Amino acid sequence: MDGVILHSGFDGLKFTLTTDIPASFREELFSAKAHAKETLSDCVLEFGDITLNVTNKGARGFTAHTGDHGAVWLFQDPEDRIPNNPGITVDFRAFGLATGGLEGAERHFRDCMSAFGIPYVETQLRVARADFAVDYLAPWFEPDREALVVPPGTKVTEYTGVAETATVSSGARVIGLRAGAVANRQLAIYDKRAEIIQQNKMGWLSIWNAALEAQNRPTLDLKDRDASQVWRFEMRLGSKQLRNRFEIRSWEDVHNIADSKTSQHPLELKFGAVCKQQSAPNQNESYV
């Protein structure tokens, strides 16, 4: 029985910049953060077409976001700098990456940097994390710890709930596996259908159904688990892997990786074939 790929692409992408925000922008953020603390709600700043929601978080800096299809922005306060930390961290949202791709994320980044009046050069950019995900419609599949081949010493966690990190309890249905560490390299296989139901992320259902309609297949009814079971295979690469092993540092490097995905297997990526899954029930093998 074959599965159907409903979505594949970057699900997470984080950049850092070794630069400071200008004084004028710092004053706007400082005032907005103070207002957010007073009102216990985000303070909205408008920069042309860019809407920046400033929160009351950030002990020695400023935390803001540009919406579900944008990014979370962490700005260090240049007047209260944390030594050896990047001045700006940009963590792109999954929905924006899913709908706009890398091109949309990069365009959003550059538009925001221009709107905020922050000067920078490409050599100040660093990729801190990249997650690549494949959503697989495969009702017959269930993660099998024994089929997961990992390097010696790799921590593997088998879990039975979306938020659980403990090992599986007796008789429970396994809904996920994690192997490795996020700071370095981690493979996650989990029940994406259960997650979007519990966390009400129905935007993913729209993405999946659009993919099925494009293939002239019937759309999903999440009430019918036997026909709508979607598994996510996600490879998460931290800064050590990105910079030292794969030498991914800039927007150009990320685009080059995305453009060079192999077509030999639907779940095999140019990231060194970091994730591999055979599409047949009871014959599952995954590699990290």
Side-chain angles (χ1 to χ4, degrees), residues 251-276:
W251 278 110
E252 182 180 3
D253 295 333
V254 175
H255 280 293
N256 288 340
I257 284 292
D259 292 341
S260 62
K261 288 185 298 181
T262 178
S263 60
Q264 294 178 358
H265 191 282
L267 300 184
E268 188 172 342
L269 313 179
K270 185 60 176 180
F271 278 79
V274 292
C275 181
K276 185 177 182 180

Side-chain angles (χ1 to χ4, degrees), residues 66-238:
T66 48
D68 290 340
H69 289 79
V72 174
W73 296 75
L74 307 178
F75 304 101
Q76 279 220 53
D77 187 343
E79 297 185 10
D80 189 18
R81 205 72 160 77
I82 301 175
N84 303 317
N85 278 25
I88 301 172
T89 300
V90 189
D91 194 353
F92 293 93
R93 294 283 181 86
F95 278 135
L97 289 166
T99 55
L102 288 178
E103 293 79 8
E106 181 177 3
R107 183 169 56 253
H108 180 70
F109 166 77
R110 299 196 187 281
D111 288 347
C112 286
M113 293 293 284
S114 176
F116 302 156
I118 305 174
Y120 69 99
V121 294
E122 294 299 313
T123 53
Q124 294 175 306
L125 284 165
R126 290 290 184 271
V127 185
R129 177 170 167 174
D131 301 348
F132 193 94
V134 178
D135 292 337
Y136 206 48
L137 176 62
W140 43 263
F141 177 81
E142 183 172 305
D144 182 356
R145 168 64 186 90
E146 298 303 317
L148 192 67
V149 182
V150 299
T154 300
K155 180 182 178 181
V156 179
T157 301
E158 185 179 50
Y159 54 100
T160 58
V162 173
E164 290 182 18
T165 57
T167 54
V168 57
S169 58
S170 177
R173 171 177 167 263
V174 176
I175 69 164
L177 292 172
R178 283 192 300 268
V182 172
N184 189 29
R185 179 178 62 178
Q186 184 180 74
L187 171 68
I189 305 171
Y190 59 96
D191 184 343
K192 187 65 176 178
R193 172 188 170 276
E195 183 193 77
I196 71 167
I197 291 174
Q198 288 195 12
Q199 300 182 13
N200 196 30
K201 297 181 177 180
M202 291 303 157
W204 286 108
L205 179 61
S206 299
I207 291 172
W208 296 340
N209 281 339
L212 289 169
E213 289 174 352
Q215 302 175 47
N216 294 318
R217 296 176 180 267
T219 56
L220 301 182
D221 178 1
L222 295 182
K223 296 178 182 178
D224 184 0
R225 188 174 74 84
D226 290 339
S228 65
Q229 182 62 63
V230 177
W231 295 94
R232 169 158 289 190
F233 294 76
E234 187 170 328
M235 176 54 66
R236 303 160 179 168
L237 298 181

